Structures are given as structure tokens and as C-alpha cells.
Amino acid sequence: MPAALLLPAALGLLFLVLPLVGLLVRTPWSTLPHRLAEPEVLTALRLSLQTATLATLFCLLLGVPLAWLLARVEFPGRRVVRALVTVPLVLPPVVGGVALLLVFGRRGLLGGWLDATFGITLPFSTAGVVLAEAFVAMPFLIIAVEGALRGADTRYEEAAATLGAGRWSAFTRVTLPLVAPGIAAGAVLCWARALGEFGATITFAGNFPGRTQTMPLAVYLALETDLEAAIVLSLLLLAVSVAILASLRDRWITAP
Amino acid sequence: MRARRFRTTLAALTVLAVLCLPGCGSGGETASPPPAGDGARITGDVTVFAAASLAESFTRLGRDFEAAHPGVRVSFSFAGSSALANQINQGAPADVFAAAAPANMKTVTDAGNGDGTPATFARNQLVIAVPEGNPGGLTGLADLTRPGVKVALCAEQVPCGAAARRVLTAAGVRVTPVTLERDVKAALSKLRLGEVDAALVYRTDVRAAGGDVDGVEFPESAGAAYEYPIVLLSDAPNVRAGRAFVDLVLSAAGLAVLTAAGFQAP
């Protein structure tokens, strides 16, 4: 193994892991069980897991077709669309939250109409949390799926077409299974990003325990008064997400 | 050839400049030690950590300070008092700390990071912030419980939230807010964006928001007025300038700026 690769690789790992060590060093292990058993903690954790999962489903529903469009269909302005898709990656999440308010808020471009027509108000609601998380996380899914689609061999789809499959059935029965690992990887990235989302959520959906207070928001507010409580909450979020991601990775993402 | 000579000259100049950095310019002054006290010339940068609600008035005071002491640069970090207190205790390089509540100051002084006893320089009261012209016709705390009135409060972990809680408890008014915001500016921005009908914020924040927000005063707020303490930090990199800035805040001129922003005298 060449040392020229191994050394920076080890340094990279260290760089990523050291902050975690910092958290573990300051963890108040003796009061840990007591702190974890507090009902607000479990409420925030449950809300986080629910909203991140719903946001991922939302992203799959809209993001996979969009990735397909970008990878498979030639149309004018495709480069621009591809750049637009990555806007939420570049935008500071707080700005993303304000932008969402300007569209879906009470006085927003669509918000007033949504409220008047369907009685839907998104700010300060759990649905608003899902929306904010999806906005920030969707690019991760789209980029991963588009990459997988570009890497996939189109001859399978062509073969399916010559055998009489329509475009839809070729997509669902040939293309989707072909890029399933890419979709899974994208969904995992998307879910992880949604789980850690803070800025857009607190700006668009506000902060109220049980309704919109996810774990990152609870961590932020705990940090205001109690460093140790914040560390405990961060560790819990970290442990749960790593456990879920590790189990999924073994099951879904391992390449054959 | 010419380019090369130019580069050589440039390199020589750079070396000179670097060598010069510590010594040049102050040659005349190093002959005798600068006198201590008010007569001493204040130099360098001064870093002030101040509560978010002080942003407008302290920025103004910083400009006054720079005008009075040419060559001095004041830089501010405005954030929630508790976040600032944490940063100071973790070793952030600041000269002065001004908090929105004695509790956050205590975090810093208990850790031994304050130089001397903090001084109270202002007080701030809660008001009900409403959109310009008060379209909902809110007149007091009880109106916040009206159905259909969306209220933003600060989270209890930050001073404005703790104050709101105290006021509401003392008044026996049960308000169900739609959101508990992370700081007073965030609560106010929800109001300005039209997402809520009212927010309990400091009077100074309403003043700073300008025309699009009105403040409704209510008598119960007097009981929860917050004292703003300021202190020179014991690890201050620029002690003299830091002390001078604290003196400015505590002076009559400082109080004038603060009261113009809606603060009350301590």
C-alpha cells in the first residue's frame, strides 16, 4: 500500500473522528441514563426520525424522476436546471427557510392560496418540518441517482424496448432495478442530511416541542443553558443514526 | 531583466516591511513608558462580545469610540448571551462582555473570566410587538390568548424567553405560542414576515425594527425588567482599550445612546 495515499487517508479519518472523540470525552456518563429518559428527549428523537423518513420518501417521489430527466432526456437549458437543483446545497439553510416562508408562508406566493383553498398552513407544523428537510436534502438524492443513471448501461433499456416494453415499464422493470444501489445510497445521504437539518427547519417551521422541535433544535437550545445536556442529545442522535445507517448499509448498499 | 529587478526590489521591500513590523512607528514612544490611566493613548483592536439586543446601540457606540480614538478598531460579536458566555468560557479571545441578563454574566464570572465586578449599564423591558398599525387591535397580555392570534415567544433557555415566562406566570395569563424562537431577533423576524400576529420582545428590538413593527406596552412587564451587565474580561488581549470601551458604555454619553435605542437607565 503506498504511503502517499495511506498517510492522508489516516489524517482524513482522524479529522472526521476527532470531534466525535471530543464529544465522548465530555459526556457525563453517570447522569446519561437519567438524562436520556426525559420525555422531551424521546419526543424530539421520535419527531426527528419520523420527519427525516417522510422527507426522504418525499424526495424519492419527486427526486428520482427529476434525476431521470437530467440523466436521460436532452432538452434545452439542461445545464441550468442541473445547476438549479444544487441551489439548496449552496444556500445557507437559514436563507432556505426564509425563502420557503416567502413561498409557503401566510403571506407567501402560494401560502395564502393554500390556506384559502385547502386550509393548509405549513409554517409551525410538522409538515413544514418535512418540507424544510426535503428542500435541503433533495439535492443529495438527485445527484446520487443521476450519477447512477449516467453510469448505467442504456443498452438494457434499448433491449427492453426492442422486446416490446413501453417507456414506463422499461423504466420500472429495467432502469429502476439497475440503479437501485444508487437510489439507496442517495436515499441514505438524503435521510442523514434531513436528520441533521437545523437552519431551514427552525426558520420555516419554528420550534415547538412535540410538533416542530427536532433533535438538532433541541440540541441548539440545550446548548444555551446546559452544555452537558446538549452533548447527551448530540450523542443520542449520532448513535441512532449511525446504527440505522450501518444496518441499512449491510442490507441494501453493499455492492455485489 | 526589468521584471526581475522589480521582483528583487519587491522582495527586499517585503523583507524590510516584515522586519519593521514590531519596531517601526513606535520608536518615539518606547523611549519612556506610556503613562497609565485616562491620558494613555489607546491603540489596537478591541473585541466586544455583546447580546444580540445590543447590536444597534453598541455599533453606534463603537463608531463613537473609533472616532474618539483614531487608529483603534472595535469589532463586535453579537449573539445570544448564553452562546457568547459559552464561547468566552471556551477561550474565545474577547476584551469585553456585555450580557442581556445577570445569569449569563454569572456563567462567565463564576468561571473566573471576569476582571472585577460586572457593572449594570441598562435595563430592558418586554413589550408586545405587533405589525405596524396593530391590525389585530391587541391592547394587553390577555389578548394574546384570543383564538386565532398566533404568538411567537422566545425559548425559555434564552433571556427573552425566561422574561416572557416570568411575566406571563406573574400575570396568570396562559399563552399557547406557535413557536419558541431561538432569540429575540428570530421572534421578531417571524412577525415581520407576517407568520405570527404578535411576539413578546424587548422594547429596544421594536425600536430597532423601524416602521413596520409597533410595540404595545403592558404594565406587567415592569416586574421582569432585565439588567444588562458589562465586564472587562480577565484574558482580554487589549486591556486598556477594553476598559476604555466599558467606561464609554457606563458614561452619560453611553447612556444617551442606549436610552435613544429604548433602554432604560440602570
Side-chain angles (χ1 to χ4, degrees):
Chain A
M1 235 177 283
L5 286 180
L6 210 57
L7 185 68
L11 282 176
L13 182 65
L14 205 63
F15 175 62
L16 292 178
V17 170
L18 265 183
L20 179 63
V21 175
L23 278 181
L24 288 172
V25 166
R26 284 293 299 269
T27 303
W29 296 105
S30 55
T31 57
L32 192 67
H34 166 71
R35 285 173 183 276
L36 286 182
E38 289 187 23
E40 302 95 60
V41 173
L42 297 178
T43 308
L45 180 64
R46 190 168 55 229
L47 189 69
S48 271
L49 295 175
Q50 283 170 348
T51 52
T53 307
L54 285 172
T56 306
L57 290 176
F58 180 83
C59 289
L60 280 169
L61 212 61
L62 304 183
V64 172
L66 184 51
W68 174 82
L69 191 73
L70 287 173
R72 285 283 192 272
V73 183
E74 291 277 358
F75 60 92
R78 186 162 72 161
R79 278 160 180 266
V80 178
V81 173
R82 190 174 288 132
L84 286 177
V85 161
T86 56
V87 161
L89 286 181
V90 188
L91 210 60
V94 175
V95 180
V98 173
L100 286 173
L101 276 178
L102 295 177
V103 176
F104 298 107
R106 200 153 63 154
R107 290 205 217 129
L109 295 175
L110 300 176
W113 173 76
L114 278 177
D115 191 20
T117 318
F118 304 103
I120 299 174
T121 41
L122 290 168
F124 312 124
S125 71
T126 306
V129 177
V130 174
L131 207 67
E133 291 178 348
F135 177 74
V136 173
M138 185 133 55
F140 290 85
L141 180 89
I142 293 174
I143 290 170
V145 175
E146 196 205 336
L149 280 167
R150 287 171 164 274
D153 197 336
T154 51
R155 284 178 303 181
Y156 290 105
E157 289 162 34
E158 284 155 15
T162 58
L163 294 172
R167 287 197 90 164
W168 175 250
S169 88
F171 175 72
T172 52
R173 304 188 54 182
V174 178
T175 314
L176 276 188
L178 209 57
V179 296
I183 294 178
V188 163
L189 271 179
C190 176
W191 185 80
R193 179 66 187 88
L195 194 70
E197 216 302 306
F198 171 76
T201 307
I202 199 166
T203 309
F204 179 60
N207 168 61
F208 198 83
R211 196 165 61 221
T212 59
Q213 188 183 72
T214 55
M215 283 295 272
L217 274 58
V219 170
Y220 179 86
L221 286 167
L223 205 53
E224 290 285 321
T225 49
D226 187 352
L227 181 64
E228 290 191 342
I231 290 176
V232 167
L233 290 174
S234 315
L235 270 189
L236 177 64
L237 183 65
L238 216 61
V240 170
S241 50
V242 166
I244 290 175
L245 291 180
S247 66
L248 280 181
R249 184 163 280 261
D250 287 344
R251 188 171 301 207
W252 299 106
I253 304 171
T254 313
Chain B
M1 261 334 258
R2 267 186 77 146
R4 187 160 165 195
R5 189 176 314 152
F6 172 72
R7 234 179 284 156
T8 318
T9 316
L10 195 71
L13 278 176
T14 312
V15 169
L16 257 176
V18 169
L19 287 175
C20 223
L21 266 182
C24 296
S26 59
E29 287 165 339
T30 44
S32 62
D38 289 347
R41 219 171 89 79
I42 292 162
T43 52
D45 292 355
V46 54
T47 306
V48 178
F49 278 25
S53 45
L54 292 167
E56 290 79 15
S57 37
F58 267 39
T59 305
R60 170 90 197 280
L61 285 173
R63 277 203 297 270
D64 294 351
F65 191 77
E66 286 173 347
H69 305 283
V72 175
R73 245 198 31 215
V74 187
S75 43
F76 291 104
S77 173
F78 295 112
S81 302
S82 35
L84 292 174
N86 277 335
Q87 289 170 9
I88 290 167
N89 283 351
Q90 300 292 330
D95 297 297
V96 175
F97 177 43
N104 304 119
M105 181 55 79
K106 197 166 174 296
T107 312
V108 167
T109 50
D110 280 358
N113 291 324
D115 180 72
T117 320
T120 302
F121 64 93
R123 284 187 310 131
N124 208 354
Q125 278 192 3
L126 291 179
V127 298
I128 303 170
V130 293
E132 187 185 5
N134 196 0
L138 306 180
T139 55
L141 277 185
D143 287 339
L144 298 182
T145 62
R146 286 207 316 237
V149 173
K150 288 190 177 178
V151 180
L153 298 181
C154 295
E156 274 175 45
Q157 291 89 339
V158 292
C160 60
R165 177 58 173 278
R166 275 217 314 255
V167 164
L168 291 169
T169 310
V173 177
R174 284 180 62 92
V175 173
T176 310
V178 291
T179 179
L180 299 167
E181 290 295 316
R182 58 181 143 162
D183 59 39
V184 66
K185 302 283 180 196
L188 204 58
S189 73
K190 290 285 194 296
L191 181 78
R192 299 174 86 169
L193 285 163
E195 296 305 327
V196 296
D197 305 300
L200 277 186
V201 302
Y202 296 120
R203 180 201 279 152
T204 51
D205 297 301
V206 170
R207 195 77 65 94
D212 50 354
V213 176
D214 284 349
V216 177
E217 306 260 346
F218 56 96
E220 297 92 333
S221 72
Y226 256 120
E227 296 182 336
Y228 280 56
I230 189 168
V231 79
L232 180 73
L233 296 169
S234 44
D235 288 338
N238 193 347
V239 173
R240 196 182 297 157
R243 183 162 289 141
F245 186 81
V246 172
D247 289 344
L248 171 65
V249 172
L250 292 170
S251 71
L255 186 62
V257 170
L258 288 159
T259 47
F263 286 100
Q264 291 158 307

